Amino acid sequence: MNKEEFLINFTNLFEETEVSQITLQTNYRDLEEWSSLLTLSTIAMCDEEYGLKITTKEITGAMTVEDLFNILKNKH
């Protein structure tokens, strides 16, 4: 698992947000499209792509896309 791969998988969850708006430093909760549905999609993506469980609490505690990556990396 690397940051670039995670960023691609994460941005693929968004349908309306321009991919260029999402970087590792993006506070994803500030994105207009971010919702509880995308929280669940992020949980599912982490499980399917990496075989790792991430909780809603961990997602809401993170600020940036890189924070999410680091949470997963620490579980690996």
Side-chain angles (χ1 to χ4, degrees), residues 4 10 17 20 24-25 27-29 34 38 42 57 69:
E4 293 76 25
F10 185 76
T17 304
S20 64
L24 290 169
Q25 290 73 41
N27 184 337
Y28 57 90
R29 291 179 291 158
W34 184 254
L38 276 169
T42 301
K57 185 176 181 178
F69 171 80

Side-chain angles (χ1 to χ4, degrees), residues 2-3 6-9 13 29-30 33-35 37 42-43 46 48 52-53 55 59 62 69:
N2 63 52
K3 289 180 184 182
F6 180 80
L7 181 61
I8 290 167
N9 288 330
L13 300 175
R29 291 179 291 158
D30 287 345
E33 189 178 353
W34 184 254
S35 66
L37 181 58
T42 301
I43 292 169
C46 292
E48 292 170 14
L52 298 171
K53 306 286 185 197
T55 65
I59 292 173
F69 171 80

